Amino acid sequence: MESAQTLTPATLTPFLLNVAPVLPVFIWGPPGIGKSALVREFAESVGLPCVSLLGSQLAPEDIIGVPQIVDGKSRFCPPTMIARDEPYCLFLDELNACSQEVQKAFYSLVLDRRIGEFELPRGTIVIGAGNRAEDAAITRPLSSALINRLVHVQLRASARDWLEWANRGALNELVVSYVSQRSDHLWSKPPKHEEPFSTPRAWTMLGAALDAYGPAVTLDEINTLASGLLTPAHARQFTAFAKLREREHDLSAILKGDRGWPEKPDERDILYFLVQQLRDRLIKELPEDETKMGRETRQLAARAKELIVSLSRISTELAQLLVTEAESGATLPAWYTIDLARALPRLAAQRS
């Protein structure tokens, strides 16, 4: 469904408010980015109860009901979850995990708001959602007849939207602080093999688990929780971030010259995190056009060069990491990379 427009959680809600009352909507997206939660929040915002049906667990009779003899004639009696007297939001979760027979049972329900002789109460909203084939989830092709009965959009994770939601809900401070600094770690593509991967849902679960442990949680326990929920590289860096907080290392202090790079062997994971943090800050703050730098940005660029020289004496590999592209594909501006290559020999000579 590449042709469908991509929305964020913040833009999905107004879209549903305008479209869902008159047309059935299907939300495509990878697992764990909040599709189900957003539909429930939408239903609550318009004052409707949300009734969820899980497509992967449905049989045709769960939709159309079972036949019953009434006055010598047979009629189908739809289940009570669907046959309601008052309007509601019918959420067809994992709709594209249904069998073809179940998909056919949805045809009249989705388009005509009707199952046999039963018509959905006026004002009822129908929304479907499902994962994509590339997400390594349980999916089946949607029939063309069902596709043509729905308005399709894609949902992507948004760090800004998630952080606003997390702050409103008072999510664990360590988790929120980490994601605010490494927003590119909020979501990662589902792996082809069986291992945890980072999603907004996984970070929310991690925050809840850390809250359950309380302030006495140890670094080993943090590592166990993170490793069981996040992409392995993200889990290691989150643990390093927790260790960094515990040992009071801080990139701002290093940039000011109040502290140096952590050099102890048992602090290598902290150093790795700080290096990535510096790279991301440079990518974020340095403009593509060197002439558009302000005074503070120039000071940051100059200080970063000195730090890269001192870092190369600790680990050449980590110094090289600073000039590689981030997970998001972003890189340092070309002018800074060239300037850095020219300046390194001179700065190294001055240091020695």
Side-chain angles (χ1 to χ4, degrees):
M1 193 53 63
E2 294 182 1
S3 60
Q5 290 298 302
T6 300
L7 302 178
T8 65
T11 55
L12 177 65
T13 298
F15 176 85
L16 292 177
L17 285 169
N18 286 284
V19 178
V22 293
L23 294 171
V25 175
F26 190 94
I27 306 167
W28 297 84
I33 63 170
K35 298 185 294 295
S36 303
L38 286 167
V39 172
R40 288 193 294 268
E41 288 178 9
F42 162 74
E44 184 178 351
S45 70
V46 295
L48 294 177
C50 186
V51 176
S52 298
L53 298 180
L54 197 60
S56 58
Q57 299 178 4
L58 292 175
E61 56 268 25
D62 295 324
I63 311 302
I64 62 177
V66 294
Q68 193 175 56
I69 304 299
V70 179
D71 297 330
K73 298 178 181 179
S74 66
R75 59 175 294 183
F76 279 88
C77 300
T80 55
M81 284 192 69
I82 296 176
R84 295 177 170 234
D85 297 327
E86 300 295 329
Y88 62 98
C89 177
L90 179 58
F91 178 42
L92 308 176
D93 200 4
E94 297 184 10
L95 178 58
N96 59 335
C98 296
S99 67
Q100 292 295 314
E101 292 301 315
V102 174
Q103 289 188 31
K104 287 191 292 185
F106 277 125
Y107 285 178
S108 61
L109 175 64
V110 169
L111 184 62
D112 302 322
R113 313 290 177 97
R114 179 186 295 277
I115 304 174
E117 298 178 11
F118 175 76
E119 186 173 352
L120 295 180
R122 187 178 182 83
T124 295
I125 291 173
V126 179
I127 300 175
N131 301 317
R132 306 161 304 177
E134 64 263 32
D135 295 323
I138 298 174
T139 60
R140 291 185 173 94
L142 278 182
S143 72
S144 58
L146 191 52
I147 287 176
N148 197 237
R149 284 166 160 81
L150 297 152
V151 180
H152 300 266
V153 293
Q154 295 198 67
L155 180 67
R156 68 171 176 84
S158 164
R160 176 182 296 178
D161 294 352
W162 186 84
L163 286 168
E164 288 180 0
W165 169 84
N167 284 314
R168 289 197 306 269
L171 192 66
N172 181 270
E173 187 272 335
L174 185 65
V175 168
V176 173
S177 180
Y178 180 86
V179 175
S180 66
Q181 296 188 47
R182 294 307 309 264
S183 58
D184 56 322
H185 286 186
L186 177 65
W187 178 82
S188 58
K189 189 175 181 179
K192 299 300 182 183
H193 48 283
E194 297 173 342
E195 71 177 21
F197 59 101
S198 302
T199 65
R201 176 167 59 201
W203 285 108
T204 303
M205 293 169 65
L206 177 59
L210 290 173
D211 287 340
Y213 269 94
V217 64
T218 66
L219 287 172
D220 285 341
E221 290 165 341
I222 290 174
N223 182 54
T224 299
L225 292 171
S227 299
L229 286 165
L230 307 175
T231 299
H234 298 175
R236 290 192 295 271
Q237 292 188 51
F238 180 77
T239 304
F241 179 70
K243 189 187 295 185
L244 180 150
R245 293 273 292 262
E246 184 180 85
R247 300 189 183 184
E248 298 182 347
H249 287 291
D250 180 65
L251 179 62
S252 298
I254 294 173
L255 285 169
K256 291 177 182 177
D258 297 336
R259 291 180 178 273
W261 293 116
E263 299 186 30
K264 297 179 182 177
D266 65 342
E267 295 178 327
R268 189 52 55 95
D269 53 351
I270 297 177
L271 179 60
Y272 182 78
F273 177 81
L274 288 168
V275 168
Q276 293 212 64
Q277 194 177 10
L278 176 59
R279 179 188 62 185
D280 292 343
R281 180 166 175 179
L282 290 173
I283 290 174
K284 182 178 179 181
E285 296 191 20
L286 296 184
E288 290 296 326
D289 185 348
E290 183 180 4
T291 62
K292 294 183 178 179
M293 281 199 301
R295 182 175 61 84
E296 292 184 359
T297 309
R298 289 187 183 279
Q299 290 176 347
L300 171 64
R303 174 58 179 157
K305 290 178 191 176
E306 297 178 354
L307 288 174
I308 294 170
V309 172
S310 61
L311 175 64
S312 64
R313 294 174 179 168
I314 302 172
S315 170
T316 303
E317 180 183 359
L318 289 181
Q320 292 172 342
L321 177 65
L322 271 161
V323 296
T324 62
E325 69 177 30
E327 289 184 27
S328 62
T331 59
L332 293 172
W335 66 265
Y336 188 68
T337 303
I338 295 171
D339 193 28
L340 188 61
R342 292 171 177 168
L344 276 173
R346 176 173 51 81
L347 288 173
Q350 289 177 352
R351 283 280 186 158
S352 57

